[in-house]
Structures are given as C-alpha cells and as structure tokens.
Amino acid sequence: MIDRGKTEALPTAEGKLFYHYAVNLLNMREQAVYSIHNFSLSIDGTVDIRCSSIPGEYIVPSVMADFKKEYEKVRFVLTQSDSSTATESIKSHQGEIGFTGYKENNGLTYRLLKRDRAVLITPENSRFAKLERKSFKLSEFINEPFVLRESGSATRKTLENELKSKGLAYTSMDIVLRVNSMEAVKQSVRSGMGISIISEAAAERENTDRGFLVFDIEDYETTREFYMVYDDRITMSPTAETFKIFTLERYGYRL
C-alpha cells in the first residue's frame, strides 16, 4: 500500500483508503471506551484544528480559551491557511475540525457560526482623513492601489464575485501586494502601500490606535459567513467531539 520511489515513499490509493478506515476505527474505539466509563474519563487529548485566517485570529482563540477553562488537560494544534486549504485538510482527514469563510458542496458538514460584513480600510493619512466620509461605493475606490489576500481566501473570492456582479473588471485592479495573512494586509495598509477590503471582525473598529481608517462600503451587498466544518461520516476522537459540541452550543445550536 506504499509506493517507494528513489527519494520518498507515498501511499497508494489503497493505502489512503486504509488510512481513512484506520483513523475512523481508532476514534470509534476511543468513543466506545469513553461511553463505557460513563464519561468518567477526563478529556485530555489534542484537538487538531484547520482554519482560514479570520476565524483563526478572531473567532477560534476565544473558543479554545473558554474550552480549556473547563477541560484543563486539553491541547490544541491550530493550523492557519486560506479557506480552500483548510477545507481540503478536513476532506483528507489531516484535521478533525475546520473553520472557514465559505461553504462548499463537497460532502462535508458545515455549521454557520456567525455573519459579518466587509469594510474598506485605508492608510491613516491626510488624503483619506480629510474626506470626512463614512462610506464609499465600490466604483469610487476600485482604481486605488490594492493589498489583497491570496486567491484561495474567502475574502478574495467574495470581492471577485462583487466586482463581477457590478460589471467591474477584477483584472483591471492595481494590485500592489498579495499576502496570505490578514495581519500582513493590515500592516501593509498601515505603512501606506495601498487600501484593502477586509472583514469587519478584523478591522479593529473600536481600537482608536489601529493605524488605518475604516469606511463602510455602500453597495457591497455580500455578507461574510463563517462556518465550522467537519466530516460527519467519520467518528471523531472524544476530545474533538466534545470541542465540536461545545463550540456549536456557544453559537446557539441545540444538540
């Protein structure tokens, strides 16, 4: 079930299938032992989480902190990427629970956690400060130098869809920088490289010392949605299952 090449050994298709069933069987065994002991065992395993940047920076950390207050022995592995990569990690069972910025029709289970909207951020300079406006239309600033996320991010995909719906050409934008981190986007805008469109959750609107200006976008109609994603066809470890239930109940699901 392994192809051995000159430089590396890779699993065959049969090997990948066996891995899937092996993980499932091990988790089922843990669940069975946990149930037999009538939940008397402590939750002390590791939760492997795969998430996109905004959930990874502005949603998941507080959930993990509250969970750990109840289950002190729990450890976490949090891997951040774009939404596409995070979803693929869950599909390939490289992580048990994911958090992403959009929903796909790919056989995985998605649970909506919260909605958010997009805002415009600009350098905090005299040019933008003197405008004294609270909002702009998309067409009014689309020709500005832009700092954008990478192509797999949900923020980027949402922008592309909005431009298309309004007959504006994405290919004509002056993209001066592409980065794979929301913090890098904000830091680049602070330094004056350009403007950007980001989630309001990441905009630090309440922070008076954030280093950039925030404006509403009048005709940006798409609301961002953030999801927990997992594969309901496999059995999670007791620790991951407990974290999943904890998170869903925190966001209003009755289980």
Side-chain angles (χ1 to χ4, degrees), residues 100-211:
T100 67
Y102 62 83
K103 180 180 180 180
E104 295 184 71
N105 184 19
N106 56 11
L108 298 177
T109 298
Y110 289 81
R111 301 291 189 185
L112 177 63
L113 300 183
K114 65 179 297 183
R115 290 184 171 90
D116 195 17
R117 61 176 183 156
V119 294
L120 170 71
I121 63 172
T122 73
E124 194 173 29
N125 56 30
S126 58
R127 179 192 167 202
F128 288 103
K130 71 181 181 181
L131 294 176
E132 297 183 351
R133 295 177 58 177
K134 294 183 179 180
S135 64
F136 290 91
K137 290 184 177 180
L138 194 57
S139 59
E140 292 181 279
F141 59 82
I142 200 62
N143 294 320
E144 293 284 336
F146 258 86
V147 178
L148 290 182
R149 291 288 308 282
E150 72 281 16
S151 58
S153 78
T155 301
R156 170 82 168 268
K157 288 185 177 182
T158 302
L159 173 59
E160 292 176 6
N161 291 336
E162 280 290 319
L163 291 174
K164 184 178 180 180
S165 70
K166 293 173 175 56
L168 300 172
Y170 171 80
T171 54
S172 66
M173 292 178 64
D174 180 15
I175 303 173
V176 296
L177 177 64
R178 293 183 178 90
V179 295
N180 62 0
S181 160
M182 183 56 65
E183 286 303 314
V185 169
K186 293 194 290 185
Q187 187 58 41
S188 299
V189 173
R190 288 187 187 101
S191 66
M193 286 194 68
I195 68 173
S196 191
I197 294 176
I198 67 173
S199 169
E200 189 171 35
E204 305 175 62
R205 216 156 193 169
E206 303 302 317
N207 180 9
T208 57
D209 193 33
R210 60 182 173 262

Side-chain angles (χ1 to χ4, degrees), residues 4 11 15 23 28 35 40 43-44 73 88 92 110 112 130 139 152 166 184-185 191 217 220 227 248 254:
R4 299 186 182 278
V23 169
M28 287 180 67
S35 298
S40 62
I43 296 295
D44 61 357
K73 296 180 181 180
E88 285 300 316
S92 61
Y110 289 81
L112 177 63
K130 71 181 181 181
S139 59
K166 293 173 175 56
V185 169
S191 66
I217 308 172
Y220 205 89
Y227 297 88
L248 292 176
R254 295 182 179 180

Side-chain angles (χ1 to χ4, degrees), residues 216-229:
D216 293 325
I217 308 172
E218 294 176 16
D219 55 348
Y220 205 89
E221 300 169 0
T222 301
T223 300
R224 287 292 310 279
E225 297 180 336
F226 298 104
Y227 297 88
M228 171 190 278
V229 55

Side-chain angles (χ1 to χ4, degrees), residues 25-45:
L25 285 170
L26 288 171
N27 287 338
M28 287 180 67
R29 177 186 177 278
E30 287 190 47
Q31 288 280 15
V33 171
Y34 189 71
S35 298
I36 290 171
H37 283 246
N38 198 25
F39 296 92
S40 62
L41 296 177
S42 62
I43 296 295
D44 61 357

